[in-house]
Amino acid sequence: MRRARKMKVAALLLAGSMALAACASDETGGGSSGSGGGEGGGSEEPRIGLAFDTGGRGDRSFNDAAVAGLEAAVEEHGGEFQDLSPNADGSNRADLLTQLADEGYNPIIAVGFAYGEVIGDVVEQYPDTTFAIIDSSAAEVGADNLTGLLFSEEEGSFLAGVAAALKSETGHVGFVGGVETPLIQKFEAGYVAGAQAVNPQIIIDRQYISPAGDFSGFNAPDRGLLVAQGMYEGGADIVYHAAGGSGLGVFQAAAAAGARAIGVDSDQYQTVDDPALQAVILTSMLKRVDTAVSSFIDSFVDGSVQGGEDIVYNLEQDGVGLSTSGGFIDDIQDQIEEYRTQIVDGEITVPSTP
């Protein structure tokens, strides 16, 4: 059941202040008011709608990165926002977007590729509302009131693979994907390529928590723990996850095994509360969803949204990269930078499929 709330937005910090999400079937609402204003949305202050991916607010990863960008934009421009989460099977995604549009929110941001299956029909019904979708192409939809916010996840994941291979003491690492989809396979492909660039003989375990079409793999820490546990028991000493809220289980498995893990999307060293879990997070592959969301809202406010096109955030733009919290990869920064430069200069082409 949806609940809306209004609150003053404090400074942007995507830290442990966000509590772990309740069930994915919950719908949460939020609001903010401020003294800023803008004209791009046709009102003095924007009223922003955000429809979460599976796991919702509090996943300390993908969704919370979107929240951080949203709150930064409201801090800057004033206005208010409301966020909604899908039900357990995600069957109400179109309803969430429709609800936000009916209530006059504009712009509306859909968080996650799963909305790509329904957003085309919704944007057609609301031609005067501006929409954005993360991780799905607007160009393929062809609607001039929709913008796609895309990322070169394979490039950031390549650097995660480099870090894993340089730090592995066993020559054996792992990858845990939340759901076996083309998007998450981009993470896998980049990670494998990066690890093999450092050590062509490295052993890389790869496993997905749930198959394509079953999005429960993004919000099942217990299953993430079991998958990662099997990898650590098999000899891997570093496991990279691209599994949303299920990544918590990967960190727990790493802590129990006295091994390491690599986080995703947000700087997860900063988002976990437990020092024992912090201690195992070697680095995180940063996917700057916060930057994409705040920049899109900025463009809406100043009236510069083009619509009908995709904006791609890659390594050159710092749309993806690696966190350095904890100092665990400080000693390999020169090597990581060498690979980063080769990717940006076009000397290395990172694969996007396994």
Side-chain angles (χ1 to χ4, degrees):
M1 183 174 175
R2 178 180 60 83
R3 54 184 177 86
R5 51 185 167 80
K6 291 189 175 181
M7 62 184 178
K8 286 282 185 180
V9 176
L12 168 62
L13 284 174
L14 208 170
S17 58
M18 300 177 189
L20 281 173
C23 296
S25 57
D26 290 341
E27 296 179 0
T28 59
S32 175
S33 59
S35 58
E39 298 178 358
S43 61
E44 290 186 358
E45 294 181 338
R47 300 182 71 237
I48 307 158
L50 190 74
F52 283 126
D53 201 359
T54 301
R57 178 188 284 265
D59 70 346
R60 306 190 179 208
S61 184
F62 183 65
N63 288 304
D64 280 354
V67 172
L70 174 65
E71 293 185 342
V74 176
E75 176 85 1
E76 174 72 18
H77 302 293
E80 64 179 75
F81 69 86
Q82 177 166 278
D83 52 75
L84 303 176
S85 294
N87 55 19
D89 62 4
S91 60
N92 68 335
R93 286 189 172 90
D95 295 335
L96 300 185
L97 298 175
T98 299
Q99 176 182 329
L100 291 168
D102 284 342
E103 293 181 359
Y105 288 94
N106 188 24
I108 296 170
I109 302 169
V111 183
F113 66 88
Y115 285 95
E117 298 178 0
V118 300
I119 201 166
D121 293 335
V122 176
V123 300
E124 184 178 357
Q125 296 172 36
Y126 299 93
D128 296 326
T129 300
T130 299
F131 292 84
I133 183 168
I134 298 171
D135 286 344
S136 188
S137 173
E140 293 178 2
V141 175
D144 60 10
N145 61 331
L146 176 65
T147 299
L149 306 176
L150 307 179
F151 298 83
S152 297
E153 294 93 351
E154 70 279 9
E155 293 183 355
S157 296
F158 184 101
L159 298 186
V162 167
L166 289 172
K167 284 292 188 177
S168 176
E169 297 179 357
T170 64
H172 188 167
V173 299
F175 171 82
V176 176
V179 180
E180 191 168 9
T181 65
L183 173 64
I184 306 303
Q185 288 175 331
K186 289 172 68 179
F187 292 84
E188 176 193 350
Y191 179 68
V192 170
Q196 291 178 339
V198 173
N199 176 7
Q201 308 305 318
I202 196 168
I203 299 169
I204 307 172
D205 297 331
R206 291 170 267 180
Q207 188 170 340
Y208 288 83
I209 297 172
S210 63
D214 177 3
F215 296 106
S216 66
F218 288 132
N219 196 33
D222 56 336
R223 290 154 64 191
L225 186 152
L226 289 174
V227 171
Q229 184 179 54
M231 292 181 180
Y232 291 125
E233 290 176 351
D237 60 349
I238 300 173
V239 173
Y240 173 41
H241 89 84
S246 299
L248 176 64
V250 176
F251 299 151
Q252 291 168 338
R260 294 280 193 182
I262 296 176
V264 77
D265 296 333
S266 302
D267 182 353
Q268 296 203 282
Y269 180 93
Q270 300 293 346
T271 64
V272 297
D273 290 331
D274 187 346
L277 300 187
Q278 265 191 332
V280 305
I281 300 175
L282 179 70
T283 181
S284 295
M285 198 289 280
L286 300 176
K287 178 175 172 177
R288 297 311 300 266
V289 174
D290 55 340
T291 299
V293 168
S294 62
S295 296
F296 174 74
I297 296 171
D298 290 345
S299 64
F300 174 83
V301 170
D302 66 26
S304 63
V305 174
Q306 295 297 313
E309 63 181 25
D310 298 323
I311 301 172
V312 180
Y313 293 85
N314 60 21
L315 199 57
E316 184 175 7
Q317 300 168 321
D318 291 325
V320 293
L322 292 185
S323 67
T324 58
S325 296
F328 303 125
I329 60 170
D330 287 354
D331 59 327
I332 58 171
Q333 280 302 306
D334 288 346
Q335 291 139 295
I336 290 172
E337 182 58 30
E338 286 178 9
Y339 282 105
R340 179 189 181 280
T341 299
Q342 291 180 65
I343 293 170
V344 170
D345 290 347
E347 297 174 20
I348 293 177
T349 300
V350 182
S352 57
T353 57

